[in-house]
Amino acid sequence: MSSAYDPNNIFAKILRGEIPAHKVYEDDAVLAFMDIMPRGDGHTLVIPKLPARNILDIDPAALAQLIQAVQNVALGVKAAMGADGVTIQQFNEPAGGQVVFHIHFHVIPRFEGIPMRPHSGDMAPPEVLAAHAAKIRAVLAN
Ligand code: AMP
C-alpha cells in the first residue's frame, strides 16, 4: 500500500533550497542533479517540481513531461560523460527499492565492461560531483 507524500523528504528540501545539490538542469517543471552516491560516473537524478511520491500517484500528464526531461537529460549525460550507454532506473515503495519518497528517475551513464556500483554505496567526493555536474551542465545548456 502506498502512503501520502511527505513534504519533508530530502528531494523536497533540495527543491526548496534548504539543502544543496549539484544541479545540472532546471526548468519550470523539473530539476536534475547529481546523485551523491553514484552507481556510475555522472549518475544524475531527474525529479518533478510538483509533489508526487512515486509512479503510483503521479499525475499522468506530469509523468509524461517528466519522462521527456529524462530523455533530454539522458542524451546530455551520455554526451557529456562520453558514455557508451545509459541505464534508467526508477523505484517505487520500499519493497520496490525506493528510499527517497519524491518520484525520481536515475540516469546512469554506462561504459563497456564496467559494472554498476551498488545502490546506496559510497558517497562521491563533492569535487568529483561538481566536476561531473559542470560537464553535464555545459552540454544541457546548449
Ligand atoms: P531510491 O529511492 O532507491 O531511488 O534511492 C534514492 C537515491 O537518492 C540514491 O541513489 C541516493 O544515493 C540518492 N540520494 C540520497 N540523498 C541524496 C542527496 N541529498 N542528493 C543527491 N542524491 C541523493
Side-chain angles (χ1 to χ4, degrees):
M1 196 186 96
S2 72
S3 312
Y5 182 78
D6 173 9
N8 287 318
N9 74 75
I10 198 131
F11 295 167
K13 290 181 180 175
I14 288 174
L15 283 171
R16 291 195 295 267
E18 293 167 10
I19 63 164
H22 296 277
K23 298 180 183 180
V24 297
Y25 175 80
E26 183 165 17
D27 63 26
D28 289 349
V30 304
L31 175 67
F33 55 96
M34 306 311 294
D35 194 297
I36 44 165
M37 290 179 267
R39 267 162 274 159
D41 289 351
H43 181 167
T44 300
L45 300 172
V46 188
I47 68 173
K49 290 191 170 176
L50 57 71
R53 183 174 162 92
N54 55 40
I55 206 159
L56 303 171
D57 69 338
I58 189 171
D59 171 69
L63 178 61
Q65 197 171 22
L66 180 59
I67 200 71
Q68 287 178 39
V70 170
Q71 184 186 37
N72 188 40
V73 168
L75 287 163
V77 164
K78 181 175 180 292
M81 300 304 295
D84 302 308
V86 181
T87 296
I88 305 293
Q89 289 185 323
Q90 194 278 317
F91 303 101
N92 303 283
E93 299 301 325
Q98 187 175 11
V99 176
V100 177
F101 297 97
H102 181 109
I103 187 171
H104 51 280
F105 280 83
H106 297 262
V107 177
I108 306 171
R110 302 300 305 277
F111 302 87
E112 289 296 346
I114 300 182
M116 269 205 300
R117 297 191 284 266
H119 187 217
S120 295
D122 294 331
M123 282 232 255
E127 62 273 18
V128 169
L129 294 179
H132 291 160
K135 275 201 220 182
I136 296 166
R137 241 188 337 262
V139 171
L140 287 172
N142 290 315

